[in-house]
Amino acid sequence: MEQLKLPAIVIGQSDIARLQRELNGLNDFFTSARARQTGISMQLPKLTRILNQLAHENGINLLEEPDRQKLSAALTALYEHAPSLHISFASEPSPKAMETLVLWVRANIHPHALILVGLQPSVAAGCFLRTPNKVFDLSLRTTLKKSEPYLIKLIAGAVSGR
Amino acid sequence: MNTGGLILIVGSLLAASGAFIWLALKLEGGGKKTKDKNTPQTQLTAAAQEDVEHIFNTEFREELRNRGRLHFEKILGENAMFLQQDLRQTTTQLNDYMRAEITRTLQEEFKKYEQSIVDAKQIAIDSIEKTVATIEQQRQFLEQQMQSQSEAQKNRIINRFEAEMATIVNHYVLLAIGNQIDLTDQMDFILGEMQANKQAIIEDIKRGAT
């Protein structure tokens, strides 16, 4: 697991679970392929982009069973132990924004951090970040609250015309 | 002519009447005493009486009566005229007196009435001034009260606005551009905030992992 590099498109636990299911399906395919009769053609299942990218970035050959087992174990370990961050935004984030965010989190917080995205319309701008034990209010409201004296100064200046 | 003169005239008239009556009685009584007609005295008396009768005969007496009546009437007329003059004068004086008294009384009453009006006016003015002063005090009190309440209300609004300013601005931003603001545009802000809380996030993750 220590060696596994997560691509930016792998965001949360749901992606890990999907990868595991896909990997299991691939294992099942190879098992059935070994039991096939001679002369019957079998078509390799189409892999998703997320699994392809994960395998490519980690140098894993999905045709090799040991590699698949290694990846499956790593994914299981990730699913069970990777730190999870719950982030709530005002609206559904775009893939580009999520990629930026995931890259930053994995570069600065933890390389295997998984992110669960939620919606909180009252946030307006910014986000709420929930870690296992804490909630970080990174919303615009909190920022405005912190800069309240400056805001009052601006309003007072506007009212007095200076 | 005064009252004394009138009394004197009436007294003289009464005296003259008394003298006539006495003379008539005397002449009548003399006739009764002629008991003895043959005496010289009786004869003299009769002669005198005859002369008297001759002098003061009926016509003469009637003339005297007429003259007395006329004189009496003249005196009565004069006195009546004097009395009328006196009465007229007295009436005139009385009228003047009454007029003066009435005028004086009326003037006094008018003065009293005028003074009463002045007093009432002064009382009314004092009352109005007191009312005006009271109203002015009430106005000032109300003005101060309204100013203080207005100031308190203003302070309450300002304090509430200051306390809720972040929420208000946030709500305004949410209403104004909530649906239009893109997360990509906010990413710098979000990453900046996360950078500011980076250490706390890492520590909490490590604590959660253990």
Side-chain angles (χ1 to χ4, degrees):
Chain A
M1 180 187 155
E2 291 296 329
Q3 308 298 323
L4 194 64
K5 288 172 63 179
L6 286 176
I9 56 174
V10 179
I11 296 172
Q13 282 184 325
S14 59
D15 295 327
I16 301 293
R18 198 180 305 123
L19 284 169
Q20 274 189 321
R21 281 197 302 273
E22 195 176 355
L23 199 59
N24 289 336
L26 199 60
N27 285 332
D28 292 343
F29 171 77
F30 282 113
T31 304
S32 61
R34 277 198 295 272
R36 75 180 170 88
Q37 294 178 354
T38 308
I40 296 175
S41 64
M42 294 188 70
Q43 194 169 1
L44 191 67
K46 194 173 183 180
L47 298 180
T48 56
R49 187 169 72 93
I50 186 171
L51 183 57
N52 267 330
Q53 192 166 348
L54 179 65
H56 179 262
E57 288 190 7
N58 290 280
I60 293 172
N61 185 0
L62 292 174
L63 297 175
E64 299 293 332
E65 189 174 359
D67 283 0
R68 290 200 304 273
Q69 286 179 352
K70 182 182 170 187
L71 180 59
S72 179
L75 288 174
T76 303
L78 271 177
Y79 188 85
E80 291 175 355
H81 301 294
S84 180
L85 302 177
H86 189 283
I87 303 178
S88 298
F89 298 102
S91 59
E92 189 71 34
S94 64
K96 185 183 173 187
M98 276 310 298
E99 184 181 348
T100 309
L101 186 67
V102 168
L103 286 176
W104 187 91
V105 168
R106 288 183 183 154
N108 293 277
I109 305 296
H110 195 280
H112 293 149
L114 299 176
I115 295 172
L116 180 62
V117 176
L119 288 178
Q120 184 83 33
S122 63
V123 173
C127 64
F128 278 118
L129 172 62
R130 197 165 69 231
T131 56
N133 303 303
K134 283 186 178 178
V135 176
F136 296 90
D137 188 353
L138 310 179
S139 65
L140 179 66
R141 179 169 46 193
T142 308
T143 308
L144 290 172
K145 195 84 177 170
K146 285 176 188 171
S147 57
E148 205 170 70
Y150 180 62
L151 203 55
I152 290 172
K153 190 178 168 186
L154 286 180
I155 291 173
V159 169
S160 63
R162 286 177 290 178
Chain B
M1 182 181 287
N2 54 13
T3 310
L6 190 63
I7 292 170
L8 191 62
I9 290 167
V10 172
S12 63
L13 287 173
L14 290 175
S17 301
F20 277 118
I21 292 167
W22 179 76
L23 187 58
L25 289 175
K26 193 71 179 180
L27 289 175
E28 192 176 355
K32 290 179 182 176
K33 289 178 180 177
T34 59
K35 296 177 181 176
D36 193 2
K37 295 180 179 178
N38 294 324
T39 61
Q41 189 178 0
T42 306
Q43 290 174 352
L44 285 172
T45 304
Q49 190 173 359
E50 190 178 350
D51 289 336
V52 167
E53 287 290 335
H54 180 71
I55 295 169
F56 296 102
N57 58 8
T58 305
E59 288 83 11
F60 184 73
R61 285 200 292 271
E62 187 62 29
E63 180 67 21
L64 283 176
R65 280 194 202 97
N66 286 336
R67 286 193 177 187
R69 193 180 296 119
L70 288 172
H71 186 68
F72 184 69
E73 285 177 356
K74 180 186 174 187
I75 289 170
L76 278 177
E78 288 176 352
N79 284 298
M81 188 183 65
F82 290 143
L83 185 61
Q84 191 177 11
Q85 287 179 354
D86 287 346
L87 279 173
R88 196 172 293 147
Q89 192 174 2
T90 303
T91 305
T92 305
Q93 288 177 352
L94 190 60
N95 283 336
D96 292 342
Y97 174 75
M98 288 297 290
R99 190 179 295 117
E101 282 297 313
I102 289 169
T103 304
R104 187 179 58 79
T105 306
L106 282 175
Q107 283 179 348
E108 286 178 358
E109 290 300 321
F110 278 137
K111 280 183 183 175
K112 287 179 183 175
Y113 180 67
E114 190 177 356
Q115 186 62 37
S116 299
I117 289 174
V118 169
D119 292 344
K121 183 180 171 185
Q122 189 60 41
I123 290 170
I125 289 171
D126 293 344
S127 175
I128 289 170
E129 285 177 351
K130 284 180 183 174
T131 306
V132 168
T134 307
I135 290 171
E136 181 64 20
Q137 285 179 352
Q138 288 289 326
R139 191 188 65 77
Q140 288 181 353
F141 175 70
L142 281 173
E143 186 179 356
Q144 289 176 354
Q145 207 171 18
M146 286 184 71
Q147 279 181 348
S148 62
Q149 285 184 358
S150 170
E151 194 68 26
Q153 180 70 14
K154 193 170 77 176
N155 289 334
R156 271 199 301 273
I157 291 171
I158 289 173
N159 290 334
R160 189 176 172 192
F161 178 75
E162 286 180 358
E164 302 292 332
M165 187 162 52
T167 308
I168 291 167
V169 174
N170 186 67
H171 187 68
Y172 168 73
V173 170
L174 185 64
L175 281 179
I177 56 171
N179 295 328
Q180 300 171 9
I181 191 165
D182 187 14
L183 267 178
T184 311
D185 300 329
Q186 303 173 33
M187 205 46 70
D188 289 342
F189 167 74
I190 292 172
L191 294 181
E193 290 293 315
M194 289 177 79
Q195 181 68 35
N197 294 281
K198 177 180 168 181
Q199 201 56 41
I201 295 169
I202 292 171
E203 284 179 5
D204 191 61
I205 285 174
K206 285 180 180 173
R207 197 177 299 126
T210 58

